[in-house]
Amino acid sequence: MDRGNNVEHPQLKPSVVLTGTAKEGSVGPPVGLVDIGVSEGAYLFRVALPGIRRDQSEMKCEIHQNGKVHIQGVITDGTILKDSSAYQMKVQQLCPSGPFTISFNLPGPVDPRLFSPSFRPDGILEVVVMKYKVHNTPPGDGLHPHP
């Protein structure tokens, strides 16, 4: 991320709203930490989601044209299935199980149809979403070239 670009976007300290276990996560790695990057045509955001497994969680990420991002899902319980054995967690220092929501605003409007999400193996949701572009029609009807 270009740290020298903060002059253009001084409000890049996102206001993040956490509910459910994301809010209660007093133990373990914090859920819902957000980083936002800005380029000329897009925003990139990363959200820390430790304890969430893509294959065992129904997670949903909604992005609205005004730049509002809403992520919701469920942190699964302390039962782990590994090597055909079930393990019940007796010591749990990760975030407690249960539903969560994370909401924040990107610095500007976006085109919610043009986004590329990736859930990394390290528990980071990384999303690139294109900025909203207003298409200016050239003078005239736009059908004939101008001399």
Side-chain angles (χ1 to χ4, degrees):
M1 287 193 274
D2 181 12
R3 294 190 184 272
N5 206 7
N6 280 348
V7 175
E8 249 182 71
H9 300 283
Q11 76 279 18
L12 282 185
K13 179 84 170 135
S15 171
V16 178
V17 178
L18 306 174
T19 65
T21 59
K23 183 176 181 181
E24 297 167 12
S26 58
V27 296
V31 172
L33 295 179
V34 177
D35 287 339
I36 298 174
V38 179
S39 76
E40 186 176 319
Y43 298 111
L44 173 138
F45 63 86
R46 295 180 183 147
V47 181
L49 299 170
I52 297 172
R53 296 184 51 177
R54 180 175 48 189
D55 59 343
Q56 294 182 354
S57 178
E58 291 185 27
M59 187 174 54
K60 198 164 65 167
C61 177
E62 296 176 0
I63 303 173
H64 300 275
Q65 186 175 359
N66 64 0
K68 178 84 168 175
V69 177
H70 186 75
I71 301 166
Q72 63 184 40
V74 177
I75 296 175
T76 56
D77 68 6
T79 302
I80 308 262
L81 300 175
K82 189 154 181 84
D83 301 326
S84 71
S85 295
Y87 296 88
Q88 182 63 39
M89 302 308 288
K90 296 298 182 189
V91 175
Q92 187 169 358
Q93 295 188 3
L94 294 176
C95 203
S97 61
F100 70 89
T101 61
I102 301 166
S103 300
F104 59 93
N105 289 311
L106 294 170
V110 297
D111 188 337
R113 301 167 301 161
L114 302 175
F115 77 100
S116 175
S118 171
F119 194 75
R120 300 182 348 194
D122 60 356
I124 303 291
L125 174 65
E126 185 173 85
V127 178
V128 174
V129 60
M130 301 304 292
K131 292 180 178 179
Y132 180 76
K133 292 183 181 175
V134 177
H135 298 289
N136 293 330
T137 307
D141 60 7
L143 299 176
H144 300 90
H146 297 284

